[in-house]
Amino acid sequence: MTIRRRLFFSFSLILFLFAANLVIYFWSNAQRSATITNFNTAITREIVVSAIKQDLNDLQKEISLMSQTAVDSGSTGFPPAQIASFKGRIDTLNGRIEHLRLLSDPSLRVRILPFQTKVAELGKSWLIFYQNFGVQNDKAVMELAIHADPTQAKVMKLLPLLQADETKEVEAATANFDAVTALTERMTLIIFGISTIIAIFVAFRVSRYLTRGLNKLKEGTASIGKGNLDQRIAIRSKDELGDVASAFNEMTGNLLSARALLTESNTQLERRNQEIDQQREKTESLLLNILPAQIAEELQLKGKVEPKYFEDVTILFADIVGFTLSTETLAAEDLVYLLHDYFTAFDNITKRYGLEKLKTIGDNYMCAGGIPVRSPSHPVNVVMAAFEMIKAVQDRAHPEALAQWSIRIGIHTGPVIAGVVGIDKFAFDVWGDTVNFASRIETNAAPNRINLSERTYSRVKDFFLCEHRGKISTKEMKEVDMYFANGILESLLTLSPVDREILSHGAQAETFIPPAFQRRYRVYFQSDPPDFPRFFSHTVETDDEQPS
């Protein structure tokens, strides 16, 4: 049954009960009205009987007085007006008896009719007596004695019976009125009580049904709203609530399917995003292998790299000595393997010292400090990296090696212009006299030696032990001062007993930097050294062990 039908049935039943109460109300009023009418009629009849009795008594007394007057003394007759008045009083009495007869039930009319007949005969006799009184007294007395007195006796005998009947009728009407009143009140209360109980029961059942259904819908929708798509609303009724519950269940089923599809799609999308991220990371890694991080970021954001002027950059050129001869004696595979090993070691060193590898040309390795991140410490960092490059080459030049190579290093400091050239195989490069002059410095270096320009020397002389080579002629036939960097100043390598103890522990020695060197580095550049060629830390004695 649908909710509409339930409500229609409930309201119809309540309206029916309301109509039943109205019917009972009107029926009760009708019953009470009928009993009141009967009661009023009985009272009226009783009053009429009392009036009839009073009229008879009055007429009888008047006739008795007249009869006594007629006997005691002679009198004359009554005037016509008085006779007419007397006749009217008799007619009134007869009219009241007629009225009483009409007000009575048929069963009482039969009993009233003899009384009415005798009263009518008595009235005629009294009227004859009244008309002949004082005129024909004998006739009047004869009428009174022969007809009036016997009839009066009969009337007076019937009158008490009539009064008794009317008294019973009044009592019966009163009892009937009380009974009907009690009955109607009881019926009204019973019907009202039954109607109220039925209405409350129907309203309770309907409201309970609707409340339970709505609560289930509310709980189900709340659970669904929290994301529990496995929730199902358990309403099996074939009505609007059942339809709504079915719609919600179908909706949650569709949402569950959609969520499963969405989850699968998200999984696939996440997998693809991971693949894209991996590819992007590979691309960025490749790009970072080609370009500095800042340059690569600018290229990704803008699609191009604007040329930049760097007023202070240290350029390092390193050339492998003996490589050309090895190309004639070594297999290509071995030659490439060796060159890869050397240049990989150089790459690791430049990373540790914060330098930027620019390019390799054959057996020539080029890197720079102070680019693209500007820093005042780049000349010192480049020289320390150069010492480590020489050490790396010396470590590989053992007797069992395929080739006994050495390295020439030239370093120069000055301004450069940097940028990215090309669109397919682009590369980060630097240009300017500083680059060319650094190449000339490298050309005039010696194997496993670091050759410094005068400008670089002036920037690093407070850190490194340098040897002035005098004026050296370049390819352009220019005489320039050049310097060999022979090592770190001994004063910066001096170790205290505590420092020597630290060096004796391998794990700490790997990160140990001589305090004097570190202190001067911080004073000059306001930062810590990125790294340190630790093989220098083992070349000096403590303060107490130094020779005098």
Side-chain angles (χ1 to χ4, degrees), residues 52-98:
I52 292 171
K53 181 180 179 181
Q54 186 65 38
D55 289 344
L56 285 173
N57 289 332
D58 292 342
L59 290 172
Q60 182 184 359
K61 289 179 180 180
E62 185 176 355
I63 294 299
S64 296
L65 291 174
M66 290 175 62
S67 65
Q68 291 176 4
T69 302
V71 173
D72 294 341
S73 61
S75 61
T76 62
F78 295 107
Q82 189 172 354
I83 294 172
S85 174
F86 183 80
K87 182 177 181 303
R89 291 167 62 189
I90 292 175
D91 292 338
T92 300
L93 176 60
N94 291 327
R96 286 180 176 174
I97 296 174
E98 179 63 18

Side-chain angles (χ1 to χ4, degrees), residues 342-398:
Y342 276 70
F343 283 174
T344 299
F346 294 168
D347 288 343
N348 293 329
I349 293 170
T350 56
K351 287 181 180 179
R352 285 193 286 111
Y353 284 94
L355 309 182
E356 189 66 38
K357 175 184 176 181
L358 296 176
K359 58 185 174 181
T360 59
I361 304 173
D363 62 333
N364 194 284
Y365 187 91
M366 179 182 178
C367 66
I371 187 173
V373 179
R374 292 175 170 85
S375 63
S377 62
H378 57 81
V380 175
N381 296 340
V382 171
V383 174
M384 287 194 294
F387 279 121
E388 292 217 21
M389 288 181 180
I390 291 174
K391 184 67 167 60
V393 172
Q394 290 175 343
D395 290 343
R396 285 166 173 74
H398 50 82

Side-chain angles (χ1 to χ4, degrees), residues 373-436:
V373 179
R374 292 175 170 85
S375 63
S377 62
H378 57 81
V380 175
N381 296 340
V382 171
V383 174
M384 287 194 294
F387 279 121
E388 292 217 21
M389 288 181 180
I390 291 174
K391 184 67 167 60
V393 172
Q394 290 175 343
D395 290 343
R396 285 166 173 74
H398 50 82
E400 294 82 10
L402 294 175
Q404 302 295 322
W405 290 345
S406 58
I407 187 172
R408 257 193 333 262
I409 297 177
I411 301 174
H412 176 58
T413 302
V416 297
I417 296 174
V420 176
V421 295
I423 57 174
D424 291 333
K425 296 181 180 180
F426 46 79
F428 179 71
D429 207 349
V430 294
W431 302 275
D433 292 339
T434 299
V435 178
N436 297 330

